[in-house]
Amino acid sequence: MKIIVPVKRVVDYNVKIRIKADQSGVELTNVKMSLNPFDEIAVEEAVRMKEKGLAKEVVVVTIGPAVAQDVLRTSMAIGADRGILITTPLPTDLGGLEPLSVAKLLKSIVLKEQPNLVIMGKQSIDDDSNQTGQMLAALLNWPQATFASKIDVNDSKTTATITREIDGGLDVVACALPAIVTTDLRLNTPRYASLPNIMKAKQKPLETIDSGSLGVDTSPRLKMVGLTDPPKRAGGIKVASVDELIAKLKTDAKVI
Amino acid sequence: MSILVIAEHTNTALRPSTLTTITAARKLGDDVVVLVAGKNVSAVADSLLASAGVQKVLVADSPAFEHHLPENMAGFIAEFAKSFTHILAPATAFGKNLLPRVSALIDSQMLSDVTDILGPDTFKRPVYAGNAIATFQSTDAIKVMTIRTTAFDPVTTTEGSTDKNASLEHIDASGIAPAPHTQFLSSELTTSARPELTAAPVVVSGGRGVGSAENFALIEHLADKLGAAVGASRAAVDAGYAPNDCQVGQTGKIVAPSLYIAVGISGAIQHLAGMKDSKVIVAINKDPDAPIFQVADYGLVADLFDAVPEMTGKL
Ligand SMILES: Cc1cc2nc3c(=O)[nH]c(=O)nc-3n(C[C@H](O)[C@H](O)[C@H](O)COP(=O)(O)OP(=O)(O)OC[C@H]3O[C@@H](n4cnc5c(N)ncnc54)[C@H](O)[C@@H]3O)c2cc1C
């Protein structure tokens, strides 16, 4: 079984973002960038399948500027076998390369690589769209299992049974392979890559493809016309006791 | 302008998320059509006929739609989406799962989690865990979007009224064959006598500070005293103190109650993303420097094991 894991380079989740003065985007210079946390979970899951003997090869794909190859190296340090970097001049967070374009680019890679399974993050923590996996499934006419907290591939590698986190609890679906699965937070806890594995990852094959060569129109459909800070909350007060808290909630805020 | 709203329902009852999505649709125009696709959904369709501002309710009944599998529904919706200018669904697990698949089939770049509608093609949505609000202008002929349910009020329905504004139309869905590659197996729904988290006027949430699943009863007792829903931080859910559908935040549920009480929660940006639009925020935390105090209207620096039982007792 071959698994493809699309990964994205995003502003690290611990960074407090700053909006550029001209509202054209978020400041990315000298900002710590990382592998999108949901994608890290996807890589970990694929690598575990390889370690269990279920998968033969794990291929990671990213779309972005040349520096985006660092998330491919991070993924290969976790255990992915090789990487594909699709270069694009467009920004990948806002007002540039959109989920539908990403899905189309990924489709061309999937058609070439013929994986049995695509595991990808349910959302990237920059534009928070939560669309790409579902769109890729649509374009390929493949089954989709979103928000996965458990994936079981059967021994003959023909079906995956997936537990999904939904609003009221959990759903379980069975998908014939090939299929698209998107990861939720509780699927696994990604490992820390060891130093020897980080070194080994530097030697793994990495192919670079120009997005322009894939025959996909990636021009944006959405024009970002503004980017502003969210409304600020007025500062609150500290109360000294439970009694004072209850009194404030009853008489000032009138919410209980 | 003709707007299609995809109803979220349980086959027997409408979900409140549909009513807020209808409100958003009405900001776009008067020609609002609601699609109820499911199995044996006539009661759901009937419940919509008296909703203010709904022109027509379309019913598509098919066993293939029972579990809302996008594989079965997206192609069907994409087919007749072509006669609409806007396709809306709630930004819930249901809408997030289904709508991107529809959007790709009609080659439209969808907008997720829309919080404001500025015009027929201009929309606001939060990005970066709500730390920025982006305004987008869509150039697609059919605009597809999920609606953040806390950003709009539910539309009014006249319960039991004979004044049915909307017409009812059945669409023949008998020819819809279930996709052969995906099978729904089961669902495990959390049953609770408490109000639903995303619609509750009061929410009491517990975090890692609560310490164990047993201790989480403290949160539940306080919630029950207030008639509140129970929420949790990711850390509390990961540790097994609370079920996954209680998670509030960037990647969990978005809530905006009149009163949100955060207990033993530090206030990471991913958690704030899910609750900072609440009207009044209370934080109970023993660390005076916890970031949650920066968004709290009332902060109590205290050990939760003293403060929470005391509060429950005094209410
Ligand atoms: C991609 C991604 C997505 C995420 N999505 C979400 C999300 O949707 N929702 C979410 O909540 N998090 C999310 N997180 C996690 C988030 O970053 C934080 O790790 C998490 O919110 C922390 O939970 P917490 O506040 O309960 O725990 P902690 O940060 O450990 O805080 C515990 C708090 O309890 C207090 N405390 C301890 N003991 C007591 C006591 N006896 N009395 C009073 N106070 C006490 C401490 O002072 C501390 O402030 C996400 C993270 C990532 C990377």
Side-chain angles (χ1 to χ4, degrees):
Chain A
M1 184 164 88
K2 186 199 265 190
I3 305 177
I4 284 195
V5 183
V7 296
K8 186 174 180 185
R9 182 173 182 266
V10 297
V11 173
D12 186 83
Y13 78 96
N14 271 318
V15 169
K16 174 119 188 51
I17 57 142
R18 253 181 343 108
I19 295 168
K20 290 184 189 164
D22 65 359
Q23 298 199 3
S24 63
V26 163
E27 192 55 71
L28 300 180
T29 356
N30 296 323
V31 166
K32 185 179 177 212
M33 306 293 284
S34 302
L35 174 56
N36 180 43
F38 289 98
D39 308 349
E40 190 180 2
I41 292 170
V43 173
E44 175 69 32
E45 193 69 13
V47 169
R48 286 187 192 182
M49 287 184 185
K50 188 181 170 190
E51 289 165 348
K52 276 194 233 146
L54 275 168
K56 275 216 179 66
E57 192 184 26
V58 176
V59 183
V60 284
V61 186
T62 195
I63 310 171
V67 285
Q69 60 179 282
D70 62 10
V71 296
L72 295 176
R73 295 292 175 203
T74 307
S75 305
M76 291 191 274
I78 295 171
D81 297 292
R82 63 185 167 92
I84 302 173
L85 166 68
I86 304 175
T87 53
T88 172
L90 294 172
T92 55
D93 64 338
L94 298 172
L97 192 74
E98 294 164 349
L100 186 57
S101 301
V102 172
K104 288 174 181 174
L105 293 170
L106 291 175
K107 179 187 172 185
S108 67
I109 299 297
V110 167
L111 293 179
K112 189 168 135 223
E113 295 279 344
Q114 301 281 321
N116 309 77
L117 188 60
V118 175
I119 310 180
M120 53 204 287
K122 77 167 181 181
Q123 86 192 56
S124 61
I125 60 166
D126 46 11
D127 87 327
D128 280 333
S129 277
N130 193 335
Q131 298 175 1
T132 309
Q134 298 86 315
M135 288 183 158
L136 180 59
L139 298 178
L140 291 162
N141 195 22
W142 282 13
Q144 72 179 56
T146 51
F147 327 145
S149 61
K150 192 163 183 274
I151 312 175
D152 282 316
V153 175
N154 68 348
D155 291 335
S156 55
K157 293 159 215 157
T158 50
T159 319
T161 305
I162 297 110
T163 304
R164 305 180 49 233
E165 294 200 358
I166 56 162
D167 288 341
L170 300 168
D171 255 5
V172 185
V173 293
C175 296
L177 302 183
I180 312 281
V181 178
T182 75
T183 60
D184 219 316
L185 293 169
R186 276 163 286 279
L187 183 58
N188 61 51
T189 307
R191 72 193 68 184
Y192 286 101
S194 67
L195 196 58
N197 285 342
I198 293 171
M199 298 313 286
K200 261 207 300 209
K202 293 189 173 148
Q203 309 305 321
K204 290 184 179 176
L206 193 157
E207 178 190 358
T208 303
I209 303 175
D210 175 11
S211 63
S213 71
L214 292 171
V216 173
D217 176 7
T218 56
S219 32
R221 312 285 189 80
L222 304 175
K223 196 171 153 220
M224 193 166 75
V225 292
L227 188 68
T228 54
D229 285 319
K232 285 250 173 319
R233 286 191 75 91
I237 57 161
K238 290 256 168 66
V239 291
S241 65
V242 169
D243 289 323
E244 189 187 347
L245 176 61
I246 293 174
K248 291 278 182 209
L249 293 177
K250 280 192 172 149
T251 51
D252 289 3
K254 300 191 172 64
V255 283
I256 57 173
Chain B
M1 215 78 61
S2 51
I3 305 109
L4 179 69
V5 172
I6 321 276
E8 177 177 12
H9 59 82
T10 61
N11 290 311
T12 46
L14 194 70
R15 311 270 307 150
S17 59
T18 307
L19 299 175
T20 45
T21 307
I22 292 173
T23 301
R26 290 182 68 198
K27 282 194 99 176
L28 285 160
D30 293 333
D31 188 9
V32 176
V33 176
V34 183
L35 170 71
V36 183
K39 187 186 168 193
N40 300 333
V41 287
S42 49
V44 177
D46 282 344
S47 73
L48 275 162
L49 292 176
S51 302
V54 175
Q55 298 291 313
K56 197 195 284 181
V57 177
L58 298 175
V59 186
D61 230 304
S62 164
F65 296 156
E66 180 175 7
H67 302 294
H68 313 302
L69 291 179
E71 290 88 330
N72 295 351
M73 289 175 67
F76 172 77
I77 295 170
E79 264 312 300
F80 70 91
K82 305 207 166 92
S83 48
F84 293 90
T85 55
H86 297 77
I87 316 283
L88 276 61
T92 56
F94 161 81
K96 290 175 184 176
N97 190 35
L98 172 64
L99 214 59
R101 193 162 179 131
V102 174
S103 195
L105 291 178
I106 59 173
D107 198 38
S108 174
Q109 176 52 58
M110 166 179 155
L111 291 121
S112 297
D113 265 308
V114 166
T115 50
D116 201 1
I117 292 170
L118 306 180
D121 60 358
T122 311
F123 312 96
K124 282 193 181 186
R125 57 175 299 259
V127 294
Y128 279 99
N131 289 301
I133 309 293
T135 307
F136 286 108
Q137 205 168 359
S138 166
T139 58
D140 282 308
I142 306 174
K143 290 147 185 72
V144 182
M145 68 200 80
T146 54
I147 299 297
R148 179 167 287 201
T149 54
T150 52
F152 298 88
D153 292 325
V155 77
T156 51
T157 50
T158 344
E159 200 74 53
S161 151
T162 47
D163 172 28
K164 311 217 150 139
N165 331 300
S167 62
L168 186 69
E169 188 181 316
H170 286 266
I171 312 175
D172 183 17
S174 56
I176 302 291
H181 299 306
T182 310
Q183 214 190 332
F184 173 86
L185 296 181
S186 61
S187 62
E188 232 176 82
L189 298 183
T190 322
T191 46
S192 166
R194 298 191 185 95
E196 203 205 356
L197 183 54
T198 53
V202 183
V203 173
V204 183
S205 286
R208 199 199 309 267
V210 177
S212 70
E214 294 72 53
N215 292 347
F216 216 77
L218 291 175
I219 302 295
E220 292 164 358
H221 291 153
L222 177 57
D224 291 341
K225 239 340 181 350
L226 289 162
V230 169
S233 70
R234 172 191 175 183
V237 174
D238 283 2
Y241 307 168
N244 66 278
D245 54 303
C246 285
Q247 181 178 315
V248 171
Q250 178 186 20
T251 56
K253 293 215 169 100
I254 310 291
V255 302
S258 310
L259 174 61
Y260 186 90
I261 306 183
V263 181
I265 291 178
S266 62
I269 52 171
Q270 293 85 7
H271 187 78
L272 302 185
M275 44 65 78
K276 68 176 175 202
D277 292 329
S278 305
K279 201 166 145 248
V280 174
I281 296 174
V282 169
I284 301 176
N285 197 306
K286 68 176 179 190
D287 172 8
D289 297 323
I292 189 76
F293 287 123
Q294 290 163 21
V295 299
D297 299 284
Y298 303 107
L300 178 61
V301 180
D303 191 311
L304 72 91
F305 297 105
D306 302 326
V308 174
E310 185 186 342
M311 188 168 174
T312 308
K314 285 179 170 166
L315 282 169

